[in-house]
Amino acid sequence: MAQVLEFKLPDLGEGLTEAEIVRWLVEVGDVVAIDQPVVEVETAKAMVEVPCPYGGVVTARFGEEGTELPVGAPLLTVAVGAPEGASGSAASPSSSSSSSGKGSGSGAESSGGSGNVLVGYGTGAPAARRRRIRPDRLDRAVAGAPVSGAPVVEAQVVEAPVAEVLVAEAPVSDGPVPVVSPLVRRLARQHDIDLRRLAGSGPDGLILRADVDRAIRAAEETATATARAAQAPARSQATPSTPSAAVAAAPNGVAAAAGAERIPLRGVRGAVADKLSRSRTEIPDATCWVDADATELMAVRAAMNAATGPSAGPKVSVLALLARICTAALARFPELNATVDTEAREIVRLPGVHLGFAAQTERGLVVPVVRDAHTRNAESIGAEIARLTELARTGKLSPAQLTGGTFTLNNYGVFGVDGSTPIINHPEAAMLGVGRIMPKPWVHQGELAVRQVVQLSLTFDHRVCDGGTAGGFLRYVADCVEQPAVLLRTL
């Protein structure tokens, strides 16, 4: 008798709680091997191929392409083991024994787990703990799924009892709040939810996102009921046909125009929106800028790329040179390679430079990170930027390659603009913006000449330093652009 095992969307790490199905890589009836990628999903961080820890025949898929699933929702079911009646088939004894061997092997492998460890799955791991799923999301995910003919041995999806939907309050404690996920903390902070008053439904009282979601819904229902009670007399006196009444009836006070398109903020776009909103809310940023003569920098780059013989190497981009200048500037002004711990009210200066660079892709804006940029030369930084840019274009960047940056370089000059006041990439403390390099009239050595001019802008967190430090950083960068020989002091 074949066992039908259910494979659920695993925890993809980095605090991600949901993913959107982009493309199925298998069909119902396909035979899959252990650790074979079965679906391509898009998270708020990257596009990821999800491997299945079971080997067997796909009996059902849950969710169409474009469906958003929470972590822990069923992805597919796989029939593992030899089918019943295989011994009575017309196959030869040798093929029968071979088939039986394969079946037993599959069963052993499935029971022992796969080698490609996912969170919640893996070699020799105990059964994954049951995870509460928001009933509304689970209903959408399971609706319309094909029904398998084989019985499912274990269905771990447990519908939460109605009583659990109510928000359980815990006694207020002065001790640490049992929350692991930064996403849960952020969600609670955005909706003014006091985590100390929540009773967690996770292991050992751990507060999960579902607990915060229930608290938010309860608060919204209370606020809605209060607002309706207060507005009841006013509605009885208002004329429904008046423009003010129409606007008031629309959500957020915005009149709903006929044919208006609503685009969900999710995936990369949603993650960018959340991060930029948080940056603007939390960081008191300021911007300073300066025009610089980049003629000498462009000449040095041309000389590097024209070199032949033993000194020749890969082509060096302008972005790579600017990145190397940034690492040199951060060594002189470490205040800007920092972050602010708001809970502890401390400035945390970071020992290494992990340089992020903004890259525009078809999926939206992403910021890949060059690890340990302070240990690399311009050639090494350029090679890593080229590699990460290619991964960004193909949507194959992993979440780890998009997180952990300490400073960001934003080359918006590729869009044909001269200047900008960029928003800091939270939780970093600064971002250098670079406009287009173009010929302009410039006073050079006391005479008017046509030079290659670029505008540089630095947006910084005013909590980590004052204007003097930011101005010193930007002036050093401009000096290196105008006189690349300045960099020789730090090489």
Side-chain angles (χ1 to χ4, degrees), residues 107-450:
E109 288 177 80
S110 64
S111 62
S114 73
N116 192 355
V117 179
L118 295 170
V119 180
Y121 301 90
T123 304
R129 289 180 175 177
R130 296 185 178 183
R131 190 185 184 104
R132 286 187 177 88
I133 307 299
R134 286 178 57 179
D136 54 339
R137 291 189 181 180
L138 191 58
D139 292 343
R140 292 198 302 269
V142 176
V147 180
S148 167
V152 178
V153 170
E154 182 181 2
Q156 296 183 356
V157 180
V158 180
E159 187 173 343
V162 176
E164 290 187 6
V165 176
L166 301 177
V167 180
E169 289 197 1
V172 179
S173 171
D174 294 333
V177 180
V179 179
V180 174
S181 171
L183 182 64
V184 173
R185 289 184 180 275
R186 184 187 72 182
L187 191 63
R189 185 166 52 248
Q190 289 175 342
H191 293 83
D192 296 326
I193 300 297
D194 189 353
L195 292 173
R196 293 174 300 176
R197 294 184 176 275
L198 294 186
S201 60
D204 301 322
L206 184 69
I207 296 177
L208 307 177
R209 178 172 180 173
D211 302 321
V212 178
D213 286 337
R214 281 194 290 271
I216 293 171
R217 286 198 299 271
E220 289 176 348
E221 289 172 1
T222 303
T224 301
T226 304
R228 285 177 179 173
Q231 292 176 1
R235 285 180 181 174
S236 62
Q237 297 176 4
T239 304
S241 59
T242 60
S244 59
V247 173
N252 300 326
V254 179
E261 181 183 7
R262 291 183 175 269
I263 303 172
L265 278 173
R266 62 187 185 188
V268 174
R269 185 72 263 162
V272 170
D274 291 342
K275 199 159 194 177
L276 296 183
S277 298
R278 183 176 182 182
S279 178
R280 277 295 191 217
T281 302
E282 292 187 8
I283 299 178
D285 57 356
T287 303
C288 53
W289 57 89
V290 65
D291 290 340
D293 180 1
T295 305
E296 295 299 324
L297 181 69
M298 301 302 288
V300 166
R301 173 177 175 264
M304 287 180 180
N305 293 337
T308 58
S311 61
K315 302 293 184 182
V316 177
S317 66
V318 175
L319 188 62
L321 292 175
L322 291 170
R324 180 64 186 89
I325 292 173
C326 282
T327 60
L330 289 172
R332 294 173 67 94
F333 299 92
E335 297 91 336
L336 294 170
N337 192 55
T339 187
V340 176
D341 186 339
T342 54
E343 293 186 0
R345 293 185 62 82
E346 294 175 342
I347 297 173
V348 183
R349 291 188 183 174
L350 304 169
V353 178
H354 302 310
L355 187 69
F357 63 96
Q360 191 70 37
T361 69
E362 292 182 357
R363 298 174 59 237
L365 178 68
V366 294
V367 184
V369 178
V370 178
R371 302 286 171 186
D372 301 316
H374 60 290
T375 65
R376 299 172 180 261
N377 56 26
E379 185 176 298
S380 173
I381 292 176
E384 183 67 359
I385 287 176
R387 185 183 73 86
L388 293 172
T389 300
E390 182 58 29
L391 291 175
R393 287 173 179 166
T394 56
K396 295 182 179 179
L397 284 170
S398 67
Q401 292 169 322
L402 290 166
T403 55
T406 63
F407 184 91
T408 297
L409 176 60
N410 188 356
N411 180 22
Y412 44 73
V414 296
F415 302 118
V417 297
D418 296 329
S420 174
T421 54
I423 300 176
I424 295 174
N425 187 21
H426 185 279
E428 298 170 13
M431 175 185 291
L432 179 70
V434 182
R436 59 178 175 172
I437 301 175
M438 61 180 302
K440 289 184 179 180
W442 190 267
V443 177
H444 177 66
Q445 296 180 351
E447 296 183 356
L448 190 64
V450 176

Side-chain angles (χ1 to χ4, degrees), residues 80-100:
V80 177
E84 227 179 318
S87 58
S89 64
S92 64
S94 60
S95 63
S96 257
S97 61
S98 173
S99 172
S100 175

